[in-house]
Amino acid sequence: MTTTHQAVTCLGCGCACDDIAVTTADGAITRIDRACALGRAWFEGASVPAACTVAGVAAGPEPALQAAARALLAAEGDLLVVLGPDLSTEAVRWALHAADRLRATVDTATSSAAGEGILAAQRRGRAGATLGEIRNRGDVVVFWGVDPAQRYPRYGERYAPGPPGVHVPEGRASRTVVSVTVGDDAGPEDADVHLGVAPADEVDVLAAMRAVVQGRAVDDLAEPLAGAAALAQRLMKASYAVLVHDGEPQAAARSPRRTEALITLVQALNTPTRAALSTLRAGGNANGAEAALTWQTGYPFAVDFADGHPRYAPGARGLDALAAGRFRAALVCGEWRGLAEPARAALAAIPTVLVGPAASTAPFPVAVAIDTGRAGIHEGGTAYRLDDVPLPLRPVLPHPRAADGVLASLACHLADPAFAGRS
Amino acid sequence: MSRLRLAGGRVYDPAHGIDGAVRDICLDDGRIVADLPPDAPTLDVTGLVVMPGGIDIHAHIASGSTNLARRLLPEEHAADPEAAPPFAAGRSGTGGTTPSTFTTGYRYARMGYTTVFDAAVAPLMARHSHAEMQDTPILDTGFYVLMGNDDYLLAELAAGRTRWVKDYAAWLLARTGGYAIKIVDAGGVEQWKAGVKELIDLDDPCGPNGLTPRKVMLALAEAADALALPHPIHLHCNRIGQPGNSATTLRTLEALDGHRAHVTHLQFHCYGGERGKGWRSEARAIIDHINAHPSLSFDVGQVVFGPATTLSGDCPAQYLLHRAADRKWLNVDLELEGGCGIIPYAYKQSAAVAALQWAIGLELFLLAADPWRIVLTTDHPNGGLFQAYPHIIRLLTDRAFRAEALKAVNPKWLQGSALLDGLDREYTLGEICIITRAGPARLLGLAGKGHLGPGADADITVYRPQDDAAAMFAAPVHVLKGGVPVVRDGALVASVAGRRLSVAPAYDEAVVAEVRRFHERFGSVSFENFASVA
């Protein structure tokens, strides 16, 4: 039977486009409408097995859960929990329940660059907006060292500069688009205004722009600061200026002060006009994991429960400590294929429990593998867009097990004092 | 333990006129019953004070903006970790001014509170609030849905199409699983997004064709009345925190003219004076009006000296505070329906405005004629933390304690304050019971809460009477939630899941097509997914 599912949320990138139509027949996706190439790739990776293994041998789900609980309890206090990028927020909540119970160290799909951005926003705050507000108001849109067409293909079409908005009725024609190219990170070619900045000058350029915005006159500037000052003047005349930057790792490492400089510039712009910073984030549901971690622990990533309560350790990420031999066991939830080779080798050396899509096909030895579906394809729940807007996930294909259910069962086993495996 | 007799306590149940009489309270299957057989289990509470569980009518504990505040304040969490309580489902967490969800539930419960309403949830973020509330144990929770800066509503009102307002409000409440209509600075947040940096007044323009905050507020007040919602509009007036705003507040109250309204954190709206020329208290003028108008109720938003976080849908007010306070500042504009602003803050006893704010809150408490229409709040975490409630109770019940506290404040900053006139009222335990549980239950239309009559939820707090009311109310001897003992001698002994409190008023289905048309034109989320909480 052929079924078409409407308003499906895609997790191919942080845009989380939720207008996708997915047609299925006989347990397979046969047609995908409105998705970009990244989205098609996301949905086309849909086929996953439905096995459970203990020590590499096929097992039933319940024995696998019990073996998993035993392995994890044996390493209480010296345990790593990894939250992959494509877990529903509901699954993340249960994984954190287990991590709290096991006094584990939690690491997530939050990239190093994204983590630096979060730390900068924790120092300074930020001035932001949800994507719809950027669509409806942004009349000057600056793409700072990023062309979203590359890694966020529908950003321009869905949010800005393409679509018309309440206060920008002609869409692209109502907006001025500025492309700032920073080294090899090019802005969009079809912009109205272009500015080039050498990576070494980037933070100084942003500081000079902020000085102009704050009315601290800077005369007789040489390039590149003169061009930056002119851009600052242009932004001050906007009704609603938007700066878009990439929160994920780019071609070359950037100054760790870059995001803070962007944040403070956009905050300052809110005195002469209105402005928002839009931070692009990768696909999956890293933003959802950060949200759930924050409401359960107070911290958005790099949380360590080893002391019996949440401790923030952004300078000592769990996956880094894994390679150094810090842990006696690990629970990897969600997608494992993004794990680098050193992490895989370290996981192979300790009892590791994998709960996620195609866990049973991992090419490194694990103690327990429990296959689940993939959030947003086989599993419902919630994912967060790059602007922290929660969206429902609509399963389009069946799978016998969902990660949130498996992790809830695991948490129950861990918390049950009568559980036979405890001793 | 589904059946239990609380025997021999001094019962405070103002809804039934019981003011400290000694009697038994019987519970069965989560509810209060008239009696139990003699062989039912008994808990001896002789000599102890028995009240319904506390109800917080206005706090920010489970919303997208609360979570942004949590994320902004890692230094506070690091200074205030909380280990998991010693039972299987217990969860650890962190505190500070914006505690994590589990810690929020535990800390309220340890204080004897069992029901809390989040004060401001944008429809776009309703799904998030439900998730946080599922992770907030013990407490029954609900939330108020932000309206009055939503582009759809403002456009309809500006075009003179008022016929959909009632149905639109009903649809939003039902769609989001919300409990009441919340108005924050009607029209003012939309103006902020359009570049206006000052707070607009009741009759300033906030849209085309003569649209004003007054018209927006009245349209929603009429909708709430027409829908017979259990709680009326929950109103954050225009011009919060500004000297001279008492004139705005008075005009707002007069404009309501018989409509029901709950005016929230009133303390922040009672200021005379002018910017740069000194502030003064106008609490008496405001409270006189409320005392004379039974359709109005309010919560105080008491300021407490110490740390706070200002966390509000009133973005322009937060911007002005950011400019004045020079602290880190977070602003998020939410598409088509408002926004939020966040600033970590501290109220210093030595600061003129903070001292006046503290005094004005106490004036409102002490001058309020009808305890059923005033509720104890700090607008947590804006004026102070909910954990300060016991301290505030002592300020109200203990004249000598209050006099000592007043001595520590420079009187020259308390211009116009009736506190300087020596207000000597002392709240009785019965009145405290009203302003912390019986009253808010009635104002929220919660028939099963805030009293101890048969059929009520068995949410019960038992205190040991003490001269120090702060100590008494900070550490109850027993707290029962739905009949389950969750706190013993100030410590958690068990956890239960709380329930969601929501309304689902009927509406004309035709409004959905109207909203869909607008949303599909300007929204960034598919209409099927917008505010979807299922």
Side-chain angles (χ1 to χ4, degrees):
Chain A
M1 192 180 81
T2 297
T3 308
T4 297
H5 305 261
Q6 301 290 346
V8 176
T9 301
C10 169
L11 299 184
C13 76
C15 288
C17 302
D18 72 332
D19 62 343
I20 312 297
V22 179
T23 303
T24 59
D26 302 325
I29 293 173
T30 55
R31 183 186 166 110
I32 305 164
D33 288 308
R34 288 189 284 278
C36 65
L38 282 182
R40 300 187 74 82
W42 160 260
F43 285 107
E44 285 164 359
S47 177
V48 289
C52 297
T53 64
V54 176
V57 178
E62 182 56 29
L65 274 171
Q66 294 197 10
R70 271 194 293 274
L72 298 174
L73 282 165
E76 187 174 341
D78 292 306
L79 193 87
L80 174 66
V81 171
V82 178
L83 305 178
D86 58 350
L87 288 168
S88 72
T89 309
E90 288 75 4
V92 168
R93 288 159 61 192
W94 282 114
L96 294 178
H97 193 106
D100 191 359
R101 169 67 188 81
L102 292 163
R103 294 187 293 124
T105 301
V106 178
D107 207 348
T108 59
T110 301
S111 65
S112 57
E116 282 178 6
I118 289 170
L119 293 174
Q122 287 177 325
R123 288 191 294 274
R124 308 302 295 235
R126 64 187 169 91
T130 69
L131 293 171
E133 203 63 13
I134 288 167
R135 169 189 167 176
N136 281 310
R137 293 188 187 271
D139 61 336
V140 178
V141 184
V142 180
F143 291 95
W144 188 275
V146 65
D147 179 359
Q150 306 300 316
R151 298 202 288 185
Y152 313 92
R154 295 183 72 206
Y155 188 97
E157 160 199 338
R158 277 173 59 80
Y159 309 124
V166 176
H167 303 280
V168 275
E170 305 301 320
R172 176 66 179 86
S174 296
R175 309 184 208 254
T176 301
V177 176
V178 180
S179 166
V180 178
T181 293
V182 184
D184 293 335
D185 295 324
E189 286 182 4
D190 60 350
D192 304 305
V193 179
H194 292 266
L195 182 70
V197 176
D201 295 335
E202 187 181 20
V203 172
D204 289 344
V205 162
L206 289 165
M209 289 175 70
R210 184 158 71 110
V212 171
V213 170
Q214 291 177 326
R216 291 185 275 131
V218 186
D219 296 327
D220 302 326
L221 289 174
E223 291 299 345
L225 300 187
L231 175 56
Q233 298 283 1
R234 187 183 285 270
L235 292 175
M236 290 164 68
K237 293 188 186 114
S239 294
Y240 196 99
V242 178
L243 264 77
V244 183
H245 76 116
D246 199 331
E248 300 293 345
Q250 291 184 268
R254 298 284 173 235
S255 165
R257 291 160 54 215
R258 172 202 215 187
T259 307
E260 193 155 338
L262 282 162
I263 285 172
T264 52
L265 168 61
V266 175
Q267 285 176 320
L269 277 164
N270 278 286
T271 292
T273 183
R274 288 304 325 284
L277 182 67
S278 178
T279 302
L280 302 174
R281 294 293 305 275
N285 186 30
N287 282 64
E290 289 159 11
L293 266 162
T294 302
W295 81 62
Q296 289 201 2
T297 74
Y299 309 118
F301 72 111
V303 175
D304 191 342
F305 289 100
D307 295 341
H309 57 74
R311 188 172 61 82
Y312 198 25
R317 300 280 297 260
L319 281 166
D320 297 332
L322 172 68
R326 158 78 179 77
F327 304 108
R328 290 191 288 130
L331 168 64
V332 179
C333 309
E335 182 57 72
W336 52 266
R337 285 181 293 190
L339 293 170
E341 188 49 47
R344 295 182 183 196
L347 290 171
I350 56 176
T352 292
V353 175
L354 289 189
V355 175
S360 63
T361 67
F364 50 95
V366 296
V368 178
I370 301 177
D371 289 339
T372 71
R374 191 178 295 284
I377 296 177
H378 311 91
E379 303 179 11
T382 306
Y384 282 63
R385 208 164 64 178
L386 60 83
D387 55 356
D388 298 321
V389 170
L391 293 167
L393 298 173
R394 296 176 193 279
V396 297
L397 293 176
H399 193 280
R401 275 183 302 282
D404 65 335
V406 172
L407 292 166
S409 299
L410 180 62
C412 288
H413 278 82
L414 295 172
D416 181 1
F419 176 55
R422 176 68 58 91
S423 58
Chain B
M1 194 189 300
S2 84
R3 293 195 306 176
L4 186 67
R5 176 187 299 272
L6 298 181
R10 283 167 47 196
V11 173
Y12 287 85
D13 184 9
H16 295 102
I18 300 169
D19 190 36
V22 174
R23 59 182 62 192
D24 293 356
I25 300 292
C26 296
L27 329 176
D28 189 4
D29 198 22
R31 295 192 186 278
I32 292 171
V33 295
D35 203 359
L36 282 172
D39 63 344
T42 295
L43 182 64
D44 182 6
V45 292
T46 304
L48 305 182
V49 165
V50 179
M51 291 186 181
I55 297 173
D56 198 334
I57 200 170
H58 185 109
H60 298 271
I61 60 155
S63 66
S65 49
T66 304
N67 216 33
L68 291 175
R70 287 190 191 103
R71 180 180 299 200
L72 186 64
L73 301 165
E75 61 278 10
E76 289 191 0
H77 305 313
D80 188 15
E82 175 143 333
F87 42 81
R91 294 293 306 275
S92 68
T94 56
T97 57
T98 54
S100 57
T101 51
F102 292 94
T103 297
T104 296
Y106 297 154
R107 289 185 178 183
Y108 263 112
R110 287 205 301 257
M111 199 173 69
Y113 271 62
T114 50
T115 301
V116 180
F117 281 83
D118 190 281
V121 172
L124 190 68
M125 300 301 292
R127 190 178 185 89
H128 174 90
S129 283
H130 282 278
E132 281 204 28
M133 286 177 174
Q134 286 164 12
D135 281 349
T136 304
I138 303 174
L139 304 177
D140 287 348
T141 49
F143 60 79
Y144 311 142
V145 180
L146 284 164
M147 300 182 208
N149 283 290
D150 28 0
D151 287 42
Y152 172 77
L153 179 71
L154 298 184
E156 290 294 293
L157 291 174
R161 292 189 296 267
T162 55
R163 65 177 286 241
W164 290 123
V165 174
K166 170 173 75 79
D167 296 296
Y168 168 67
W171 173 76
L172 263 187
L173 288 168
R175 176 86 175 160
T176 57
Y179 194 82
I181 296 170
K182 174 71 180 297
I183 304 174
V184 172
D185 186 10
V189 184
E190 168 67 18
Q191 289 298 296
W192 152 254
K193 291 195 211 175
V196 175
K197 299 291 164 54
E198 291 297 324
L199 291 167
I200 64 172
D201 212 330
L202 190 64
D203 294 306
D204 288 339
C206 67
N209 303 326
L211 188 66
T212 60
R214 177 191 297 266
K215 291 179 181 173
V216 175
M217 174 187 75
L218 287 177
L220 289 168
E222 285 165 12
D225 283 350
L227 294 166
L229 296 177
H231 187 56
I233 55 166
H234 194 95
L235 178 63
H236 161 143
C237 295
N238 298 96
R239 299 193 66 231
I240 190 171
Q242 306 304 302
N245 67 5
S246 64
T248 304
T249 308
L250 263 184
R251 278 200 301 279
T252 302
L253 299 178
E254 288 162 3
L256 285 162
D257 190 27
H259 288 297
R260 296 180 306 150
H262 179 87
V263 186
T264 192
H265 41 64
L266 185 61
Q267 177 278 127
F268 288 110
H269 303 271
C270 294
Y271 309 143
E274 290 178 56
R275 199 177 288 172
K277 293 187 179 174
W279 300 40
R280 54 182 288 114
S281 169
E282 294 292 346
R284 192 184 285 277
I286 303 288
I287 196 69
D288 283 351
H289 184 98
I290 289 181
N291 283 342
H293 291 80
S295 57
L296 301 175
S297 61
F298 71 101
D299 63 85
V300 172
Q302 175 66 38
V303 154
V304 182
F305 297 125
T309 291
T310 63
L311 151 57
S312 173
D314 202 336
C315 301
Q318 294 294 90
Y319 168 77
L320 294 175
L321 187 62
H322 152 65
R323 296 286 291 171
D326 198 26
R327 301 279 192 111
K328 59 185 174 183
W329 168 58
L330 188 147
N331 180 84
V332 173
D333 295 333
L334 280 172
E335 59 208 65
L336 304 176
E337 56 185 24
C340 78
I342 302 165
I343 299 167
Y345 198 68
Y347 295 93
K348 294 180 183 165
Q349 198 163 256
S350 56
V353 171
L356 183 70
Q357 291 176 312
W358 173 84
I360 287 174
L362 292 176
E363 280 182 81
L364 293 173
F365 277 115
L366 298 172
L367 294 170
D370 180 0
W372 291 94
R373 294 192 285 122
I374 172 175
V375 184
L376 191 163
T377 64
T378 58
D379 185 15
H380 166 87
N382 282 281
L385 310 189
F386 65 79
Q387 297 99 307
Y389 292 176
H391 169 77
I392 296 168
I393 288 172
R394 187 171 184 198
L395 286 169
L396 301 178
T397 57
D398 185 338
R399 189 165 49 210
F401 179 72
R402 185 166 68 236
E404 281 302 308
L406 186 58
K407 277 185 200 165
V409 174
N410 189 333
K412 77 177 184 190
W413 294 327
L414 307 187
Q415 292 297 313
S417 171
L419 267 195
L420 291 179
D421 304 339
L423 290 173
D424 62 359
R425 177 177 177 184
E426 288 187 330
Y427 270 65
T428 65
L429 275 184
E431 287 176 321
I432 292 298
C433 187
I434 295 171
I435 67 170
T436 58
R437 42 268 278 172
R442 186 175 288 181
L443 295 171
L444 288 159
L446 293 168
K449 293 195 182 292
H451 69 93
L452 298 172
D457 295 344
D459 301 348
I460 298 173
T461 304
V462 180
Y463 301 102
R464 186 179 309 285
Q466 300 179 55
D467 290 338
D468 179 349
M472 172 180 167
F473 281 91
V477 183
H478 302 283
V479 181
L480 295 97
K481 175 64 179 58
V484 177
V486 291
V487 170
R488 178 72 208 258
D489 294 326
L492 285 162
V493 294
S495 184
V496 295
R499 290 186 296 133
R500 297 294 80 72
L501 301 167
S502 60
V503 296
Y507 54 87
D508 183 342
E509 287 283 348
V511 75
V512 182
E514 293 289 316
V515 182
R516 175 188 276 270
R517 194 171 305 129
F518 181 87
H519 200 91
E520 288 183 341
R521 203 163 156 216
F522 297 118
S524 75
V525 171
S526 290
F527 189 70
E528 292 84 346
N529 297 334
F530 171 69
S532 161
V533 300

